[in-house]
Amino acid sequence: MSPILIATCICRQMPFAKLLPLAREHGWTLQDVMRETGCGDGCGLCRPYLRRMLTTGETQFTELLTE
């Protein structure tokens, strides 16, 4: 069975690969990403992925992350 690829905020249909350059350009924190894009502010399931994205630069995940 292939691992599931998690690479998008489902609520906003925004790929993490598109968010990362914006976040880096503007020096955004997780709260800034949520405020400016709405990502992570809907159902919240992508928050752990956004947090790791901001820390490591990863934009694709194959493991389930929780808060």
Side-chain angles (χ1 to χ4, degrees), residues 6-24 27-61 63-67:
I6 302 162
T8 303
C9 168
I10 300 299
C11 294
R12 300 290 184 228
Q13 295 298 304
M14 177 76 74
F16 299 146
K18 185 174 178 181
L19 285 171
L20 181 61
L22 285 172
R24 287 193 169 160
W28 288 345
T29 64
L30 176 59
Q31 294 301 317
D32 296 329
V33 169
M34 292 169 56
R35 181 184 62 248
E36 297 296 327
T37 69
C39 294
D41 203 25
C43 73
L45 291 175
C46 68
R47 279 186 212 141
Y49 301 97
L50 293 171
R51 189 174 288 112
R52 185 182 281 181
M53 175 195 77
L54 293 170
T55 302
T56 68
E58 295 171 81
T59 58
Q60 296 183 346
F61 305 91
E63 62 189 277
L64 292 178
L65 300 177
T66 57
E67 294 279 352

